[in-house]
Amino acid sequence: MEVKTVSFIGLGALGILFAHHLTKRLPRDNVRIIADENRIKKYQSEGVYCNGKRCNFNYMSPEDECEPADLLIFSVKINGLREAIHSVKNQVGENTIILSALNGITSEAIIGETYGMDNILYCVAQGMDAVKVGNKLTYHNMGMLVFGDKKPGNISEKTKIVADFFEKTGLPYHVDTNMSKRLWGKFMLNVGVNQTVAVYKSNYGEIQKDGPARDMMIAAMKEVIAISKKEGVYLTEEDLQYWLDVLGTLSPNGKPSMAQDVEARRYSEVELFAGTVLEYGKKHGIATPVNQELYDRILEIESEY
């Protein structure tokens, strides 16, 4: 098997970024953007732009009948995941490989409740500094998709198939044989970066330099390290430094998704980040005061919408 058709559900920053890249390298009909009729009309009338260029996307509604996609990529936010799972039912067949580029550590299991875990590869998107304002996306660093099997040390045929496809299409990627640790590491980064920049209403530059924002970010991340050890993942200070190094590569003027949500007065994924940390902290009897502060401050911001 080889990947010839790709379907995306979710045209946020990641959906636009990677779908635009693939649309330029594959026949137009082979890259499908799944959206409801109202969204499609809006996308077609107003356009969707990536670094100033209008995207030539092939839109399909959930009701459209078609051959199943070879690869399906979820790029929605967590609060839209269950609707998205239902919307892609016509895209999923026996051999469809599924990647979830969602934040957090739970989306694969949620998708697996409907489509099973056999064809799901674990995935994180990292290193991009994309900013989406309205229907326009801009980025300096494209970042990459890191993916692999749930079982540590394993590289399955499905992983090889996706790696070969990304290699042929020039989409930046990395295969990781310890995806549980990678997922928790990206979760740790999001807990620190997304929430701190949102609270400070700033950008990556604010936490790339020494100061109270960076201190808060690192303290929030260290609470995730403590929890991870109780969950059998065992993040370390070396993992913390790895993700701080990733953060250092981003454009100082870029902003994470939660900061963009606050700026646009949208409700954020705070429950996915601090909410999850507080839940695990309570479960294991671990104090999480920094995430509690972040949680409270973000809810306070959102209460003013």
Side-chain angles (χ1 to χ4, degrees):
M1 175 187 167
E2 64 176 311
V3 174
K4 294 182 179 179
T5 56
V6 186
S7 293
F8 286 84
I9 178 76
L11 265 192
L14 294 178
I16 295 173
L17 183 65
F18 293 116
H20 179 63
H21 176 89
L22 293 176
T23 296
K24 293 186 293 182
R25 289 158 176 83
L26 296 172
R28 182 176 179 273
D29 289 347
N30 288 27
V31 182
R32 310 163 179 170
I33 308 298
I34 313 306
D36 61 45
E37 293 292 352
N38 289 334
R39 283 193 178 96
I40 291 174
K41 288 178 182 177
K42 182 178 180 181
Y43 295 150
Q44 290 176 332
S45 63
E46 298 179 3
V48 176
Y49 294 85
C50 185
N51 277 353
K53 295 182 179 180
R54 182 163 179 153
C55 301
N56 184 30
F57 287 148
N58 166 37
Y59 299 106
M60 294 184 67
S61 76
E63 293 75 27
D64 289 338
E65 294 186 3
C66 61
E67 289 294 317
D70 298 320
L71 177 64
L72 169 63
I73 299 177
F74 282 85
S75 50
V76 296
K77 291 206 171 177
I78 192 68
N79 55 9
L81 179 57
R82 293 197 182 276
E83 179 184 351
I85 290 170
H86 176 72
S87 296
V88 297
K89 61 183 184 301
N90 287 345
Q91 305 295 321
V92 180
E94 183 180 351
N95 298 313
T96 302
I97 300 172
I98 298 174
L99 296 180
S100 169
L102 273 70
N103 290 320
I105 52 179
T106 59
S107 63
E108 284 84 1
I110 295 172
I111 296 167
E113 291 172 3
T114 299
Y115 297 118
M117 296 300 296
D118 289 348
N119 287 354
I120 297 176
L121 298 177
Y122 280 56
C123 176
V124 301
Q126 67 179 65
M128 60 284 301
D129 51 18
V131 175
K132 180 173 178 280
V133 179
N135 60 342
K136 296 178 174 65
L137 178 80
T138 57
Y139 71 91
H140 178 70
N141 291 323
M142 185 176 184
M144 62 179 171
L145 291 177
V146 182
F147 64 95
D149 297 277
K150 179 181 180 181
K151 183 179 178 181
N154 190 50
I155 301 180
S156 67
E157 186 62 28
K158 293 181 177 63
T159 294
K160 294 176 183 177
I161 288 169
V162 175
D164 183 60
F165 172 69
F166 287 161
E167 190 72 34
K168 289 178 178 177
T169 55
L171 193 148
Y173 75 95
H174 175 72
V175 173
D176 194 330
T177 57
N178 190 350
M179 280 305 299
S180 291
K181 193 167 190 178
R182 178 77 63 161
L183 281 172
W184 272 84
K186 175 68 185 301
F187 174 65
M188 172 179 66
L189 180 74
N190 280 328
V191 163
V193 172
N194 259 287
Q195 300 186 128
T196 303
V197 178
V199 164
Y200 276 80
K201 298 182 179 180
S202 187
N203 53 27
Y204 290 126
E206 184 73 30
I207 51 174
Q208 288 170 333
K209 64 184 181 183
D210 291 335
R214 185 175 176 88
D215 292 342
M216 170 175 268
M217 172 191 72
I218 292 174
M221 293 170 74
K222 287 184 175 179
E223 290 179 356
V224 176
I225 290 177
I227 290 169
S228 75
K229 293 174 181 176
K230 295 292 186 180
E231 288 291 311
V233 179
Y234 302 106
L235 292 174
T236 66
E237 292 287 332
E238 288 184 2
D239 296 306
L240 175 65
Q241 188 58 53
Y242 168 84
W243 288 103
L244 291 178
D245 289 344
V246 171
L247 172 63
T249 67
L250 305 181
S251 169
N253 296 320
K255 297 177 182 180
S257 59
M258 186 177 284
Q260 296 176 53
D261 289 337
V262 167
E263 200 170 74
R265 298 175 70 83
R266 292 190 298 261
Y267 291 100
S268 71
E269 294 183 305
V270 66
E271 293 294 344
L272 186 64
F273 299 141
T276 301
V277 174
L278 298 179
E279 181 181 331
Y280 276 107
K282 184 177 181 181
K283 173 184 175 182
H284 296 297
I286 295 174
T288 55
V290 180
N291 275 280
Q292 184 68 64
E293 180 182 350
L294 287 165
Y295 184 80
D296 293 341
R297 290 175 67 174
I298 291 167
L299 288 188
E300 182 179 356
I301 291 170
E302 293 180 351
S303 71
E304 298 172 359
Y305 292 172

